[in-house]
Amino acid sequence: METVLPEVTAVGVIIKAVIILAVISAIAGFGTYIERKVLAFMQRRLGPMHVGPYGLLQLIADGIKLFTKEDIIPAHANKFIFAIAPAITAATAFIALSAVPVFPDFTIPEFIPLLGGTFVPSIASDVNIGILFVLGMMAAGLYGPLLAGMAQANKWGLLGSARTAVQFLSYEVVTGLSILAPIMIVGSLSFVDFNDYQNEHIWLVVYQPVAFVLFLIAGFAETNRTPFDILEHEAEIVSGYATEYSGMRWGMFFIGEYANMITIGVIASVVFLGGYSDFFFIPAWIMIILKVAFFFFFMLWVRAAWPHIRPDQLMWLCWKVLMPLAVVNIIITAVVMMAMA
Amino acid sequence: MSLEQFKDRNVGVQNYRQLDLPQSPTTAMCKVKQVAKRSLKGELFVGLGVTVREMVSTLFGKGLHTTQYPFEKLPISPRYRAIHEMLRLLESGNYRCIGCGLCEKICISNCISMETRYDENQRKEVSAYTINFGRCIFCGYCAEVCPELAIVHGGRYETASEQRASFSLFEDMLTPIDQLSLQQEYQGFGAVSPNADDNIKKTPLAY
Amino acid sequence: MSDITVKINSQECKAQEGEYILNVARANGIFIPAICYLTRCSPTLACRICLVEADGKQVYACNAKVKNGMNIETVTENILKERRAIMEVYDVNHPLQCGVCDQSGSCELQNYTLELGVDSQTYSIADTVRESKNWSSVLHYDAGLCIVCERCVTVCKDMIGDSAIKTTARGGEALDKSYKDTMPKDAYAMWNKLQKSVIAPSNGTEQTNCSDCGECVAVCPVGALVSRDFVYTTNAWELNRIPATCAHCSSGCHIYYETKPTSISNREEKIYRVTNEWNYMSLCGAGRFGYDFENTNVSKDEKAFALAIEAFKKAQTIRFNATITNEEALMLQTLKEKLGVKLVNDEVRAFQKFLNAYSDASGKSLYGSDFKELMNSDFIISVGSILRKDNPNARYVFNNVQKMNKGAGLYFHPIGDTVIPTFGKSVETFNHKVGLEEAVCYLILDLFAPKDKLSDEVKDYIESFKDGDTNGLVELLGKDSAKFKASFDKMMGKKSSFGLMVGEDFFYHEKSENLAKLIALIEEVTPLNIAFIPPKSNALGVSLICELDDEATGYTIGYNENGDFKLSALGDGNLDIPALNQQEGTLTNMNKKVVPTNSALEYNGYELNDIMKALFDVPRLAIDWTAYLPVDKGFMSHEFDSLPNHYTNAGVELRGYSLVKFTREANEIKVDRFDEKAILEGDIVCRANPQRQFSDFTDKAHQINEAFGLYVSDAKSKSIGTSKAEISFGDERLILDVMVDDRMEGDIVALPDFQSKHNVYGLFGTSRYKIVTIKGV
């Protein structure tokens, strides 16, 4: 049905990886600016205004601050683990992105020397178990906060890591179960197949609204966003797993969190909302950006509107409401598919 | 003795009366109903609606509550008691302060100090005046007691400085002579009441 | 005078016959407003506010005397009306500048205006321009503020004796006639007088010719009279009052040092002025204005201190003067006892010898009377003292006796003085030749001693001068005996108590021992109460505490004096010591009282007791010595902190304690005849300071500006002819500025001793007069 894609070369993959790293890091940083602005407006404030026009350069100021801040490692901390824990968070977040189609693929125009004609794929690594890989990688991201909290010899850190284990492990179940139903429909674990399926049929959110909602809720928990940010809930446990962190190490947790937010946004868009396909007259690449941006904005919106919940409510919600719903959804999907078949 | 009281760790609840709380669900069915009701009621979306409404109105410049402080300042009440100001007589530009020392006397934190002398015009002249702002509690007694409305509280509330002395000398507080026309009459604590003229008793000393 | 009782506002009050109602009320804590009255002066009747009703009749409390059983009401409806009218009148045209006025807060006009509730004004008159003036180097008079209560005039006349100021015409408008009928009577009379007068120097010029004592400043109820240095420098309420004792002369007056931080940047205390309880005692110019003699910027100089310890260990003599506390004198005496050093004190030695000679002859350890008692006498005699220069308090006593007690006075001194005769009509001055002091004593014996009490020898000797109606003693002393007899008889009329004050000439005299005996004899046989004028500050204390030596030998330590190692409170010595306004301690004054003084200013250096502590095991503080002052000399073993230092409302002086006087049986007093050949002839110089100068300390004070020079009378200055003169004491010669003292008379010149660097005592030796050659240069 389609023209055969050009060969994916190593150079193309590297270019794609560099683009993802650069763009997502920048977006993660820019995300903080957007978050502050959006929250400010929702609270009738202005947000950052002084560095650059409308505070646009606040991001740079913050970066300079984070880079130049003293890096403190507490006396009784496990120094090695304390040092690498933020890297785990950031690394897993970016690794997960390697199997996610971030932009549509394109070919570098011929007139650009050296790299001219190189094909850059939409996914750095189009593994055929893409969804599994991404979910697994995000699950591995739990080691970042877990190790960070346990390594820093701090009560709040320890509480934070305990909550990390509880929250991430629990919601991993919901994520997996909720996305199982769309997988059953599409019959593939590749994001590209999801994209293509929806391109041919209709957006999966129509078939699987419950799965979409469950995935979104679980996504909030996976990315540690309000109302589920009990890992570092400052009203209860100071800053949770990040209590003793400062400077760029703390900044890496932040980048990881924002990268995860984008990952969730991309997965939700590709799996449920049609992915990077053209939508009437809107080109595909704009569509995917719009969709991811909407999810990103939605997370901020929720943060401004809704309160935190307690850890016990979180667990109650997960095991007593969301997980049964997900199971029921799978069963119904299976029954319907059998009937249809 | 049972351990019940120790196991009840819900400290402080026992003696409180809780008002306006709905009945807790008792049966499993009730709980399911409650969950369903809460899930479907859409309160969460009301919250989202409120925030997005505010965002939109703020984006269009309405209902913005931010004052960009160092660049914009809110007007403060004339009764606000910030760093003192020394006023001049509007006609001549001379100091209003006559060196009577009442502020020095009334100051409850003992932070005003002044030096006076007999000047060439046979008048009392204030040769030095200082307020120790490390000790001043801005109570306003000095402004209230001043018979000449010479020392008053101004609106200068930004008191961060490398040295306290930057505020505390007579010249620092005095209205600059070139800004005499901008000098505001003090309305705060100790100012002349609006009906002061009515309270003046006439005496036969018409000379 | 007998005790009587009167009723004031139905309160029983004990009083003495002849006391004024006001003083009785004050002594009993009953308030009667009074502005113009001064306790020890004659009533002025300027303010009329002290109106009271005595036995149904309105009288002025300040000049009506109590009678036994009198019923006095201090407040009646009419009196309140008068008082309120009076205060309203005082407030007419009084400038509303309380804010800047120096007296604000301690102003009697403010107080009485508030007390009588003056909240509106009924009277008015056009104001007169009255300009403020400087009357002298210290006096500043703001006529605009003056309420013409005349307290300054009164105190200057009745207490000080200068009569340097008087009321003069103001040139104001006359009062509206209608007031005479509508106003209360006394208020109108007072206003009528007030509107016509203002105060001015009495010599008709713009400058007062007076001793600059500043007592007029002290008594001024408003801010009209202020010292020039103090005017507008501070408010009275900012000042800390430190009760102390003036250390400049032997009067030992009670003063308050009033201190406040020097400036905004320098928070060290500074003395702004000296005030006194002017109702009960008067200060002189030195006491009031000579306060800033402190030793400043002193820190503990350990090197100098170590040198001082070495110096004390090898010292053979300690030279000091009378400006020293009793405690320090006791320390020096202790040094003498433990180290065997000699104590040399030129200012005190002669007085000590005289006092000892007097004690030996009379059997009394101290002179019998004091100046408080002399002030109540009505016949006063001064011998051997230049009253105006030697001791202000003695002079005030002499003057006050004339003014207040309708008294009479005899003044014997070789140096003529134009002020003394102005003290009263019944003052006779004898300007006798130098060397005739014994003759003076014989004349006093002749005048006052009952003949049967004198030994035949003395009686015959006195009679030998008489030839018919001519008294040779009077003639010898330079007066016409017939005239003197007439006036003396008049002076003696209605006199009941007699006083004699003995001055410095008698101590520094070749025949001082015989003079001491003569004084002892006078005290024994005549009704005269006798008091000595100790020559300098604490001369009496030092003479009682220390065993002084005549000659300095070997290595000498100078204590505020010249020496091989000098301890000085003037800042010019090898080791700094505190000045007397930086020290606690006691002083012994001419009234035989041991009075405490407190330190007004901080002192951070070493003091004598630190040296004592380094040498011996002695008390920790200098004032711990107070209790160890020699009891056998009349001191008591009171702790310093138990000594009071104030006056009560009734004027009772509660200051320290009085020395105990010991009396033993004495032999009959044998006196020698005098030798007329001892009279000095030629150019004579007398060791005498200008008024207000007593020592290096007064000299250091910035408001005391009398210079070191040769003080001469107007006539003498003309005969010298130049502005500088050379004065030769044999080999030694001094070239000094000639200063004209227009109140001196005669040819005798005065050489001051207040600067110790000139060693004037060395030039004079044991005498106060020397024949010298003076020539203009």
Side-chain angles (χ1 to χ4, degrees):
Chain A
M1 61 179 179
E2 264 185 77
T3 50
V4 176
L5 288 172
E7 197 193 347
V8 176
T9 58
V11 177
V13 172
I14 289 170
I15 290 172
K16 182 74 187 179
V18 168
I19 288 173
I20 290 175
L21 258 179
V23 171
I24 301 298
S25 295
I27 288 175
F30 191 64
T32 62
Y33 170 76
I34 295 292
E35 174 161 21
R36 290 161 75 168
K37 273 291 186 193
V38 167
L39 289 180
F41 284 129
M42 289 182 170
Q43 293 162 356
R44 301 183 186 161
R45 294 186 287 112
L46 275 171
M49 284 298 282
H50 293 311
V51 190
Y54 298 99
L56 270 171
L57 300 181
Q58 183 70 40
L59 163 65
I60 293 170
D62 283 347
I64 292 168
K65 186 195 82 174
L66 287 177
F67 268 109
T68 52
K69 222 173 161 181
E70 187 187 357
D71 179 35
I72 296 168
I73 299 179
H76 298 291
N78 186 326
K79 293 188 177 55
F80 177 68
I81 294 177
F82 184 87
I84 64 162
I88 293 175
T89 303
T92 53
F94 283 110
I95 290 170
L97 277 168
S98 69
V100 174
V102 180
F103 301 108
D105 40 37
F106 64 95
T107 304
I108 297 175
E110 291 293 339
F111 57 81
I112 294 173
L114 206 60
L115 296 175
T118 311
F119 175 72
V120 179
S122 62
I123 302 175
S125 158
D126 185 14
V127 287
N128 51 8
I129 50 162
I131 289 180
L132 209 59
F133 176 80
V134 172
L135 290 182
M137 218 54 231
M138 284 182 72
L142 121 87
Y143 283 107
L146 183 71
L147 294 178
M150 289 171 74
Q152 63 189 251
N154 181 306
K155 289 176 208 163
W156 313 118
L158 197 63
L159 283 172
S161 55
R163 289 181 174 197
T164 308
V166 168
Q167 179 177 329
F168 279 15
L169 286 176
S170 306
Y171 278 84
E172 203 61 44
V173 174
V174 180
T175 320
L177 288 177
S178 65
I179 212 163
L180 197 52
I183 290 172
M184 283 155 65
I185 293 174
V186 175
S188 168
L189 288 169
S190 165
F191 282 114
V192 178
D193 291 342
F194 269 88
N195 189 57
D196 294 346
Y197 176 86
Q198 291 175 93
N199 210 5
E200 289 164 24
H201 300 85
I202 197 167
W203 287 4
L204 272 171
V205 70
V206 180
Y207 296 146
Q208 291 291 341
V210 176
F212 175 62
V213 171
L214 290 178
F215 180 80
L216 262 190
I217 293 175
F220 273 86
E222 290 284 299
T223 52
N224 182 26
R225 293 292 305 177
T226 315
F228 301 141
D229 69 336
I230 62 166
L231 283 68
E232 45 176 346
H233 190 191
E234 62 277 353
E236 291 169 2
I237 49 172
V238 187
S239 197
Y241 66 87
T243 303
E244 295 286 6
Y245 280 91
S246 65
M248 208 48 219
R249 286 188 207 285
W250 181 82
M252 277 154 85
F253 279 124
F254 225 78
I255 290 171
E257 182 178 329
Y258 279 80
N260 276 336
M261 281 164 73
I262 291 166
T263 310
I264 292 292
V266 172
I267 295 174
S269 315
V270 173
V271 173
F272 293 103
L273 294 183
Y276 47 90
S277 312
D278 295 342
F279 185 73
F280 299 113
F281 58 91
I282 306 172
W285 63 276
I286 292 185
M287 276 311 292
I288 186 73
I289 288 176
L290 282 177
K291 288 169 193 166
V292 173
F294 169 75
F295 283 112
F296 196 88
F297 172 75
F298 184 67
M299 288 178 183
L300 309 183
W301 189 6
V302 165
R303 183 175 177 188
W306 295 348
H308 291 286
I309 62 168
R310 293 198 309 262
D312 63 318
Q313 291 170 330
L314 188 80
M315 289 297 102
W316 173 85
L317 186 67
C318 176
W319 295 111
K320 290 188 174 173
V321 180
L322 302 183
M323 198 209 53
L325 271 179
V327 171
V328 169
N329 186 43
I330 290 167
I331 291 167
I332 293 173
T333 307
V335 170
V336 170
M337 279 176 71
M338 277 168 68
M340 300 273 283
Chain B
M1 187 179 134
S2 80
L3 296 173
E4 203 155 343
Q5 56 172 317
F6 298 105
K7 284 181 176 169
D8 183 4
R9 295 189 175 82
N10 212 353
V11 181
V13 170
Q14 296 86 343
N15 296 325
Y16 287 87
R17 272 182 64 209
Q18 295 176 320
L19 302 173
D20 293 336
L21 280 183
Q23 289 280 311
S24 290
T26 44
T27 64
M29 196 54 209
C30 289
K31 285 183 181 173
V32 171
K33 271 185 189 166
Q34 191 185 40
V35 169
K37 205 167 96 188
R38 286 184 179 176
S39 303
L40 300 174
K41 203 177 175 188
E43 276 174 337
L44 289 171
F45 298 98
V46 173
L48 288 176
V50 167
T51 45
V52 84
R53 191 182 70 221
E54 291 304 329
M55 187 183 80
V56 170
S57 74
T58 308
L59 271 174
F60 290 102
K62 280 178 279 184
L64 189 66
H65 281 230
T66 302
T67 308
Q68 286 179 280
Y69 161 62
F71 311 110
E72 299 172 12
K73 284 175 193 170
L74 295 173
I76 58 166
S77 156
R79 297 180 74 89
Y80 189 80
R81 301 193 297 264
I83 292 283
H84 306 68
E85 279 175 4
M86 284 286 180
L87 303 188
R88 290 177 186 270
L89 291 169
L90 291 173
E91 296 85 359
S92 63
N94 288 340
Y95 310 154
R96 285 190 187 179
C97 179
I98 55 170
C100 70
L102 290 184
C103 48
E104 191 180 12
K105 177 67 184 164
I106 203 167
C107 180
I108 55 174
S109 46
N110 226 347
C111 62
I112 300 182
S113 186
M114 61 200 294
E115 286 168 33
T116 54
R117 66 185 187 92
Y118 187 70
D119 76 358
E120 301 73 35
N121 308 318
Q122 306 189 336
R123 295 175 72 91
K124 193 174 191 174
E125 186 196 54
V126 183
S127 47
Y129 189 101
T130 177
I131 300 177
N132 180 349
F133 284 112
R135 281 162 74 168
C136 179
I137 59 165
F138 298 95
C139 64
Y141 280 7
C142 48
E144 190 183 9
V145 80
C146 182
E148 302 288 317
L149 282 178
I151 184 167
V152 301
H153 278 293
R156 200 151 61 111
Y157 49 78
E158 288 150 320
T159 51
S161 163
E162 284 170 17
Q163 291 193 348
R164 287 182 192 132
S166 310
F167 300 99
S168 55
L169 295 178
F170 192 68
E171 293 73 29
D172 301 319
M173 295 182 272
L174 193 66
T175 312
I177 190 75
D178 52 334
Q179 289 173 26
L180 187 58
S181 56
L182 302 176
Q183 182 174 290
Q184 295 281 316
E185 200 45 69
Y186 181 58
Q187 298 296 328
F189 212 46
V192 178
S193 59
N195 63 340
D197 284 350
D198 306 336
N199 293 335
I200 292 174
K201 256 189 204 169
K202 287 211 171 100
T203 72
L205 288 176
Y207 298 97
Chain C
M1 296 215 178
S2 54
D3 286 346
I4 56 173
T5 47
V6 292
K7 271 192 174 169
I8 305 179
N9 294 346
S10 331
Q11 183 185 331
E12 293 259 339
C13 299
K14 286 227 176 316
Q16 299 219 306
E17 188 88 49
E19 265 193 286
Y20 293 128
I21 294 172
L22 184 60
N23 286 338
V24 175
R26 282 180 178 176
N28 287 282
I30 297 164
F31 173 70
I32 299 173
I35 294 179
C36 70
Y37 179 70
L38 287 166
T39 307
R40 299 164 308 156
C41 298
S42 50
T44 318
L45 286 185
C47 74
R48 296 171 185 242
I49 204 167
C50 65
L51 266 183
V52 292
E53 203 173 87
D55 291 338
K57 225 174 80 193
Q58 277 191 15
V59 295
Y60 304 112
C62 68
N63 85 332
K65 292 177 175 173
V66 288
K67 294 196 192 90
N68 201 6
M70 204 179 228
N71 264 313
I72 298 154
E73 284 297 325
T74 61
V75 178
T76 69
E77 200 183 331
N78 188 46
I79 285 172
L80 274 184
K81 229 163 74 189
E82 287 276 10
R83 283 183 188 161
R84 180 178 162 121
I86 287 169
M87 284 324 295
E88 273 186 41
V89 166
Y90 271 133
D91 290 335
V92 170
N93 292 341
H94 190 88
L96 285 175
Q97 57 178 52
C98 296
V100 299
C101 181
D102 286 311
Q103 196 73 359
S104 181
S106 51
C107 172
E108 291 179 34
L109 187 68
Q110 279 179 343
N111 290 350
Y112 285 125
T113 300
L114 288 173
E115 172 74 26
L116 296 170
V118 177
D119 55 357
S120 61
Q121 178 64 267
T122 339
Y123 314 114
S124 66
I125 191 162
D127 204 356
T128 321
V129 176
R130 290 168 282 165
E131 280 175 7
S132 52
K133 286 167 190 149
N134 289 328
W135 281 347
S136 74
S137 64
V138 291
L139 301 178
H140 173 87
Y141 176 64
D142 189 340
L145 295 170
C146 182
I147 59 169
V148 202
C149 66
E150 299 179 39
R151 280 213 309 229
C152 49
V153 178
T154 309
V155 81
C156 194
K157 185 177 82 198
D158 288 356
M159 187 51 61
I160 309 304
D162 277 337
S163 302
I165 44 181
K166 60 167 190 192
T167 55
T168 183
R170 179 189 292 206
E173 278 189 21
L175 293 188
D176 193 333
K177 289 274 182 293
S178 65
Y179 283 132
K180 186 163 192 180
D181 308 322
T182 54
M183 273 179 83
K185 194 168 67 43
D186 281 296
Y188 177 80
M190 173 245 140
W191 193 11
N192 203 13
K193 194 172 160 216
L194 169 70
Q195 184 59 19
K196 286 174 183 160
S197 46
V198 72
I199 312 292
S202 55
N203 54 8
T205 66
E206 294 282 290
Q207 302 286 312
T208 52
N209 180 15
C210 69
S211 56
D212 279 343
C213 67
E215 195 63 16
C216 47
V217 170
V219 301
C220 185
V222 293
L225 266 165
V226 183
S227 87
R228 280 175 70 178
D229 193 64
F230 182 73
V231 66
Y232 291 166
T233 50
T234 181
N235 285 310
W237 58 72
E238 295 293 333
L239 295 167
N240 235 343
R241 299 186 95 197
I242 294 146
T245 298
C246 172
H248 290 321
C249 81
S250 55
S251 304
C253 296
H254 178 252
I255 56 172
Y256 292 102
Y257 288 118
E258 304 211 343
T259 66
K260 190 181 113 157
T262 313
S263 68
I264 287 172
S265 48
N266 179 5
R267 301 313 283 175
E268 254 176 55
E269 295 281 302
K270 172 190 149 183
I271 301 174
Y272 276 69
R273 65 172 175 186
V274 163
T275 52
N276 60 327
E277 295 277 8
W278 39 266
N279 262 313
Y280 311 123
M281 46 82 51
S282 297
L283 284 185
C284 68
R288 186 175 311 281
F289 300 115
Y291 50 75
D292 54 338
F293 53 84
E294 67 273 6
N295 200 1
T296 48
N297 295 327
V298 178
S299 57
K300 291 207 168 155
D301 183 350
E302 287 176 28
K303 216 184 266 175
F305 185 68
L307 288 174
I309 303 276
E310 285 309 305
F312 271 85
K313 281 183 180 157
K314 67 180 175 188
Q316 285 173 285
T317 305
I318 298 174
R319 180 190 289 279
F320 63 114
N321 56 31
T323 312
I324 186 171
T325 62
N326 289 328
E327 287 74 18
E328 287 181 314
L330 182 58
M331 289 176 207
L332 296 180
Q333 175 64 17
T334 308
L335 282 174
K336 173 169 184 153
E337 284 161 14
K338 298 216 172 173
L339 298 179
V341 294
K342 287 186 170 174
L343 297 180
V344 175
N345 191 328
D346 294 329
E347 292 181 1
V348 181
R349 180 62 180 142
F351 176 68
Q352 189 181 40
K353 278 183 178 166
F354 185 86
L355 193 64
N356 289 343
Y358 162 83
S359 299
D360 286 345
S362 67
K364 294 171 191 161
S365 64
L366 287 166
Y367 46 92
S369 185
D370 62 44
F371 288 82
K372 291 239 146 204
E373 195 177 5
L374 293 194
M375 203 159 189
N376 292 324
S377 60
D378 46 23
F379 196 110
I380 187 102
I381 304 168
S382 163
V383 296
S385 170
I386 313 170
L387 263 192
R388 193 166 55 84
K389 297 179 174 220
D390 283 357
N391 189 299
N393 195 36
R395 164 219 173 143
Y396 298 162
V397 166
F398 194 96
N399 173 53
N400 199 248
V401 164
Q402 313 305 322
K403 301 282 169 50
M404 294 300 293
N405 304 343
K406 298 192 184 102
L410 289 176
Y411 178 71
F412 295 92
H413 202 270
I415 300 178
D417 195 303
T418 58
V419 176
I420 309 293
T422 66
F423 286 171
K425 285 178 193 139
S426 314
V427 175
E428 287 286 337
T429 56
F430 284 83
N431 296 329
H432 58 81
K433 295 241 162 62
V434 179
L436 286 177
E437 284 76 13
E438 290 151 296
V440 171
C441 294
Y442 279 111
L443 177 62
I444 291 170
L445 281 172
D446 177 34
L447 295 175
F448 290 94
K451 296 291 168 272
D452 53 330
K453 283 202 182 168
L454 289 174
S455 67
D456 291 343
E457 195 187 342
V458 175
K459 211 170 2 182
D460 292 345
Y461 184 56
I462 291 170
E463 285 305 319
S464 71
F465 289 98
K466 293 192 177 169
D467 179 17
D469 280 345
T470 316
N471 189 338
L473 282 169
V474 177
E475 303 278 339
L476 187 62
L477 294 171
K479 279 224 179 235
D480 180 76
S481 69
K483 266 193 201 162
F484 175 70
K485 182 157 186 355
S487 60
F488 183 73
D489 287 344
K490 219 157 124 198
M491 286 160 79
M492 285 299 281
K494 286 202 218 160
K495 295 296 185 285
S496 57
S497 62
F498 304 89
L500 170 66
M501 45 177 92
V502 181
E504 205 171 333
D505 291 8
F506 278 43
F507 318 143
Y508 291 89
H509 199 283
E510 306 284 328
K511 301 277 186 56
S512 70
E513 195 179 336
N514 189 40
L515 283 166
K517 286 182 189 163
L518 278 164
I519 296 295
L521 181 65
I522 290 170
E523 187 172 34
E524 190 179 296
V525 300
T526 68
L528 294 175
N529 295 316
I530 289 177
F532 299 167
I533 304 170
K536 284 283 160 70
S537 306
N538 195 19
L540 182 56
V542 171
S543 66
L544 292 174
I545 294 164
C546 297
E547 293 163 30
L548 300 175
D549 297 282
D550 288 322
E551 288 293 322
T553 52
Y555 189 83
T556 305
I557 289 176
Y559 190 88
N560 286 328
E561 285 284 333
N562 299 323
D564 299 317
F565 188 91
K566 190 170 175 187
L567 282 74
S568 173
L570 296 156
D572 60 351
N574 304 87
L575 180 70
D576 284 303
I577 50 171
L580 269 170
N581 54 8
Q582 296 168 305
Q583 246 181 314
E584 291 179 307
T586 59
L587 297 163
T588 313
N589 71 7
M590 63 202 287
N591 291 333
K592 301 180 293 184
K593 284 198 120 178
V594 178
V595 289
T597 187
N598 288 308
S599 63
L601 301 172
E602 204 178 1
Y603 174 77
N604 298 317
Y606 289 106
E607 54 180 4
L608 183 58
N609 199 38
D610 291 323
I611 295 170
M612 297 298 289
K613 276 192 284 191
L615 292 173
F616 318 107
D617 180 25
V618 296
R620 195 172 62 85
L621 297 170
I623 52 162
D624 292 336
W625 292 78
T626 312
Y628 301 106
L629 291 171
V631 177
D632 58 333
K633 294 290 171 68
F635 289 95
M636 295 189 209
S637 52
H638 288 310
E639 291 291 333
F640 176 81
D641 288 333
S642 70
L643 301 178
N645 195 16
H646 64 273
Y647 286 83
T648 68
N649 211 23
V652 179
E653 179 183 354
L654 295 177
R655 301 179 61 204
Y657 59 85
S658 293
L659 288 172
V660 179
K661 194 173 80 177
F662 301 110
T663 318
R664 58 170 172 73
E665 279 298 310
N667 301 324
E668 194 190 344
I669 301 167
K670 294 254 182 240
V671 293
D672 295 338
R673 300 179 168 204
F674 65 91
D675 181 5
E676 285 183 42
K677 294 197 185 76
I679 294 173
L680 299 185
E681 297 285 359
D683 271 344
I684 300 171
V685 63
C686 171
R687 184 175 49 71
N689 286 319
Q691 330 178 50
R692 305 208 300 165
Q693 286 285 25
F694 293 99
S695 61
D696 284 314
F697 295 106
T698 51
D699 195 27
K700 191 178 179 184
H702 78 281
Q703 290 181 91
I704 311 280
N705 42 24
E706 281 82 352
F708 192 89
L710 198 62
Y711 284 80
V712 301
S713 65
D714 206 22
K716 182 71 180 172
S717 85
K718 288 201 177 89
S719 78
I720 294 172
T722 52
S723 65
K724 273 186 183 289
E726 185 190 71
I727 171 165
S728 321
F729 294 75
D731 302 337
E732 306 254 6
R733 57 196 54 194
L734 288 169
I735 294 176
L736 296 166
D737 290 332
V738 175
M739 325 285 279
V740 178
D741 182 342
D742 56 6
R743 295 157 140 204
M744 274 172 77
E745 281 181 331
D747 283 344
I748 301 176
V749 301
L751 177 64
D753 61 32
F754 63 84
Q755 286 186 348
S756 61
K757 67 180 177 195
H758 294 290
N759 192 23
V760 175
Y761 278 94
L763 297 174
F764 278 90
T766 56
S767 176
R768 201 182 179 191
Y769 297 90
K770 278 277 171 192
I771 298 176
V772 291
T773 51
I774 301 169
K775 57 179 187 209
V777 288

